[in-house]
Amino acid sequence: LEQSIIRTSLELYPREVASYNASKHTWAFKNGSIVDFGYCDNDKSVSRYQSAEYDTIRFDELTHFTEYQYTYLLSRLRGTNNYPKQIKSSTNPGNVGHMWVRKRFIDTVPPYKTYKSPSGITRVFIPALVKENKFLMQKDPNYVKRLENLNEKDKKALLYGDWDIFEGQYFDEFNRGIHVVKPFEIPKDWRRYI
């Protein structure tokens, strides 16, 4: 948190409207709003948020969280005020949460389409590549070259946003555009392996 989100918030929030408490990792705004920065080391650490109540929750690098951590913290999104409740997450492919994030957000419905769960909660996957970050590309265009120097798996994840990577993947050359076909009736005379 200290090397990323908090540092950015210190540059972003004007001192005329908010004050930052470094020991609590909290911004207090003059209008009464509060921004807390928190983290989860493991599944047990979600219990520190048990009585918490948030209007908005943001996850940075969602694939660094387990599905349990995510779904438990979803339960902290609550309150009696009229402020709309929402969760937003950003992430790259890979890490401990890769498979559950892929299943929940990537494979459920095409990008930009809203998915509505049986309970009525909606979610949408909005893909973004590093080259679409116009601020980063203007200030540090060589970042793409540094990503191109990564090993193949990390390059696929961080440069191309490829969700078809898996740790320990047997066929690491897997490419959805080449190796996936539309479903069809398999002819009866084709040899089958089970």
Side-chain angles (χ1 to χ4, degrees):
L1 295 175
E2 295 286 345
Q3 284 104 22
S4 59
I5 299 172
I6 292 176
R7 185 176 292 160
T8 301
S9 77
L10 291 168
E11 296 171 4
L12 183 66
Y13 297 140
R15 301 307 182 272
E16 303 84 51
V17 298
S19 61
Y20 181 67
N21 183 321
S23 64
K24 292 183 178 181
H25 304 298
T26 300
W27 278 97
F29 289 79
K30 292 185 177 177
N31 69 356
S33 296
I34 296 173
V35 172
D36 290 324
F37 295 97
Y39 63 96
C40 289
D41 286 334
N42 53 54
D43 283 356
K44 291 181 180 178
S45 63
V46 297
S47 63
R48 73 173 69 129
Y49 303 102
Q50 187 164 1
S51 62
E53 191 174 286
Y54 299 107
D55 295 321
T56 303
I57 299 175
R58 302 281 191 257
F59 286 90
D60 186 41
E61 291 302 346
L62 184 59
T63 55
H64 290 216
F65 294 85
T66 66
E67 186 172 17
Y68 173 74
Q69 291 167 344
Y70 178 77
T71 55
Y72 184 86
L73 291 171
L74 281 176
S75 74
R76 307 299 86 209
L77 192 65
R78 61 196 179 120
T80 58
N81 63 29
N82 292 326
Y83 194 85
K85 310 300 182 250
Q86 63 174 244
I87 288 194
K88 289 186 180 177
S89 307
S90 60
T91 198
N92 288 294
N95 219 301
V96 67
H98 176 89
M99 288 307 294
W100 76 262
V101 170
R102 178 184 166 163
K103 182 179 176 186
R104 185 181 191 99
F105 295 99
I106 314 307
D107 293 342
T108 306
V109 69
Y112 308 105
K113 300 282 185 193
T114 301
Y115 170 80
K116 190 170 189 174
S117 73
S119 64
I121 295 175
T122 59
R123 62 181 178 253
V124 64
F125 168 58
I126 303 171
L129 299 175
V130 66
K131 289 183 177 180
E132 295 173 57
N133 185 333
K134 64 181 181 182
F135 302 106
L136 182 61
M137 292 299 94
Q138 287 172 357
K139 299 289 184 183
D140 189 6
N142 287 325
Y143 179 58
V144 171
K145 291 178 184 175
R146 292 191 295 278
L147 291 177
E148 289 170 346
N149 286 321
L150 292 170
N151 65 51
E152 217 38 52
K153 180 180 134 318
D154 290 336
K155 185 176 8 176
K156 283 180 178 180
L158 301 177
L159 182 59
Y160 304 121
D162 187 347
W163 285 90
D164 287 331
I165 60 164
F166 306 98
E167 201 63 47
Q169 179 175 336
Y170 187 77
F171 295 109
D172 59 0
E173 71 277 7
F174 179 79
N175 178 322
R176 187 173 295 275
I178 296 171
H179 300 109
V180 176
V181 297
K182 291 182 180 179
F184 66 96
E185 184 82 29
I186 298 174
K188 292 196 184 301
D189 62 324
W190 283 18
R191 184 176 292 168
R192 297 168 193 234
Y193 297 90
I194 298 175

